[in-house]
Amino acid sequence: MSILVQKFGGTSLSTAEARKHVIKHIKQALAQQYQVVVVVSAMGRKGEPYATDTLLNLIFEHGNRVSRREKDMLLSCGEVISAVTLCSLLNAESVPATVLNGVQAGIETDGNYGDARIVTIRPARIVEELKQGKVVIVTGFQGRAAVQDEVATLGRGGSDTSATALGVALNAERVDIFTDVTGILTADPRIVEEAKLLPVITFAEICNLAHHGAKVIHPRAVEVAMQANLPIRVRSTFSDEAGTLVTRPEAVRQHVVDRYVTGITHVPNVTQIQIAFQEGRYDFHRSVFQAMAHNQISVDFINVNPSGVVYTVFDDVAELAVQIVRELGYEPKIRSNCAKVAVIGGGMNGVPGVMARIVEALTEADVTILQSADSNTTIWVLVPGDELQRAIRMLHNKFDLHKMNGE
């Protein structure tokens, strides 16, 4: 029998009605003669009692004086609650099930508490439970820090990574990521009403979409699957639609012809920082970025040239970033409330005129281009935040993404 890994996120587990849909999907997989491994996130989102952010808030409200090790001990509880609750429901439906936490499932990580990386997986216990005809429910987002022999969590999106890593270790046929949307869309449907479902997409394209703002799946999870050519299907918990298949380029070409732009995504709430070169201070590039790294400020959209540097940081750390730059003796030029818009497509490399169409579209929409950059599969521009939605809609229309399904 083939193994299928199913991952259910917090919104799929937050209510009794939602959990009925989860049970239905598990039963459907069993009826198709799969051995099923289920990976779960903590229930719900911030404000709901067992959500990860709610648990984290308990620490903030009581002094925030614990180490990252103790913090991981608390945060790992949310997935345990989800897993045991789901196990009880399955057993009540006469579906034999068992729960393994990340340590028991054989997931070993490095010792970086709060943002650990999976080092190896020893799935012998999972395999044994599957042989006994059980659905194996594994707590996502966590594993055993091998050096310290402690629980370590994998950071945001960690349950997605747990699922794909287990899929690789178990030589699964596929990983199904269940969420509250129908699959991967050409743009955020809250901004573009005409956004279309992408039936199939490459690993590289979904990685770029995820890195540049799409929140349907974590890029690290895709990278794990991509290395092993393990297909992923992104689906809705609340329907039987097939969703989006994420796979290798050769398989995509069987379904899609001549698609060089796949989707438009965005990252809001960023601040642009410009620093002009000062005569005699030839190490200023190095000193600026070393200072950002020392203070754990992530920088993006970096342009370095002889006249100075331009980069972006998130709005919530902009004040600190500016203070650091001034302490170095520079007076930066600041533009807050910006947004990064990315045009992504695995087929755009070598296609002339893509940037020209982007500039044309944004000019027609009276959108100011503050900065631009590109790679083989992505062209992104920085725009004022209040012009973001206009930019996304115009780019989506310019590249005919509303006709993605052949309309």
Side-chain angles (χ1 to χ4, degrees):
M1 295 175 68
S2 297
I3 295 174
L4 179 66
V5 177
Q6 297 179 321
K7 182 264 177 177
F8 294 97
T11 55
S12 300
L13 298 159
S14 60
T15 67
E17 187 61 33
R19 291 189 286 272
K20 288 180 183 178
H21 290 278
V22 172
I23 300 292
K24 182 186 73 172
H25 286 296
I26 294 171
K27 285 184 174 180
Q28 286 176 344
L30 293 170
Q32 294 166 6
Q33 301 303 304
Y34 283 109
Q35 293 179 303
V36 180
V37 175
V38 176
V39 177
V40 296
S41 298
M43 291 182 184
R45 292 178 175 165
K46 186 174 182 178
E48 297 180 70
Y50 309 118
T52 299
D53 283 327
T54 304
L55 296 175
L56 195 57
N57 202 46
L58 289 173
I59 300 173
F60 293 149
E61 290 177 348
H62 295 86
N64 195 25
R65 297 294 295 273
V66 296
S67 71
R68 293 168 66 189
R69 170 187 168 274
E70 280 97 11
K71 190 177 291 185
D72 271 8
M73 290 177 67
L74 173 64
L75 296 185
S76 66
C77 295
E79 283 71 22
V80 173
I81 294 168
S82 291
V84 175
T85 301
L86 183 59
C87 182
S88 180
L89 289 169
L90 285 169
N91 286 328
E93 296 272 342
S94 300
V95 177
T98 190
V99 173
L100 301 177
N101 63 29
V103 176
Q104 294 163 338
I107 300 174
E108 296 196 1
T109 76
D110 60 21
N112 186 21
Y113 294 112
D115 193 25
R117 293 266 180 167
I118 295 175
V119 176
T120 188
I121 297 181
R122 307 181 193 279
R125 186 167 176 183
I126 297 176
V127 172
E128 186 57 37
E129 297 288 358
L130 289 173
K131 286 179 180 178
Q132 296 178 32
K134 297 176 184 177
V135 172
V136 181
I137 306 169
V138 179
T139 57
F141 177 64
Q142 60 193 257
R144 170 180 171 267
V147 177
Q148 297 90 346
D149 199 20
E150 303 273 5
V151 173
T153 65
L154 307 181
R156 294 293 179 180
S159 292
D160 288 349
T161 307
S162 299
T164 57
L166 283 168
V168 172
L170 293 164
N171 195 27
E173 180 178 310
R174 190 178 72 247
V175 174
D176 282 353
I177 304 288
F178 286 92
T179 181
D180 56 358
V181 296
T182 56
I184 310 298
L185 302 180
T186 53
D188 187 335
R190 294 169 298 183
I191 297 174
V192 181
E193 293 182 3
E194 302 84 7
K196 295 293 185 180
L197 175 73
L198 293 160
V200 61
I201 192 172
T202 68
F203 291 117
E205 286 173 324
I206 188 58
C207 265
N208 278 301
L209 285 168
H211 276 300
H212 295 293
K215 300 185 184 301
V216 177
I217 185 170
H218 196 278
R220 192 186 300 178
V222 181
E223 289 160 3
V224 170
M226 179 166 55
Q227 291 169 9
N229 273 331
L230 172 66
I232 303 170
R233 192 172 284 281
V234 180
R235 307 180 55 188
S236 170
T237 303
F238 307 101
S239 80
D240 291 324
E241 293 181 29
T244 301
L245 178 66
V246 184
T247 186
R248 64 191 188 282
E250 298 78 27
V252 172
R253 282 196 287 270
Q254 296 173 14
H255 300 274
V256 178
V257 179
D258 200 23
R259 182 181 82 189
Y260 61 92
V261 171
T262 301
I264 314 295
T265 189
H266 64 283
V267 177
N269 305 320
V270 297
T271 294
Q272 184 191 58
I273 299 176
Q274 300 184 52
I275 308 170
F277 170 70
Q278 292 183 12
E279 190 67 35
R281 302 193 64 175
Y282 297 103
D283 68 337
F284 88 107
H285 300 102
R286 176 177 58 85
S287 63
V288 167
F289 292 119
Q290 280 185 344
M292 295 295 112
H294 179 73
N295 287 274
Q296 298 185 319
I297 296 175
S298 176
V299 300
D300 193 16
F301 224 140
I302 304 163
N303 292 146
V304 177
N305 57 68
S307 63
V309 297
V310 184
Y311 61 96
T312 63
V313 299
F314 285 109
D315 284 348
D316 60 357
V317 296
E319 185 176 346
L320 174 60
V322 170
Q323 176 186 330
I324 292 166
V325 170
R326 286 174 174 156
E327 288 173 354
L328 292 172
Y330 305 106
E331 186 54 44
K333 181 180 177 181
I334 309 302
R335 181 152 188 166
S336 58
N337 188 30
C338 298
K340 182 171 74 171
V341 181
V343 177
I344 293 166
M348 72 166 62
N349 186 31
V351 176
V354 178
M355 186 62 190
R357 294 184 72 183
I358 292 172
V359 172
E360 181 183 1
L362 297 180
T363 300
E364 290 172 356
D366 292 326
V367 172
T368 305
I369 299 175
L370 302 172
Q371 202 174 335
S372 69
D374 67 274
S375 68
N376 286 340
T377 59
T378 307
I379 297 175
W380 53 98
V381 293
L382 190 71
V383 302
D386 57 1
E387 299 174 12
L388 169 63
Q389 295 195 13
R390 194 161 71 246
I392 293 170
R393 292 189 187 108
M394 182 60 84
L395 289 168
H396 194 273
N397 185 65
K398 176 63 72 173
F399 289 101
D400 292 326
L401 297 183
H402 60 291
K403 300 178 181 178
M404 186 64 76
N405 295 337
E407 294 179 2

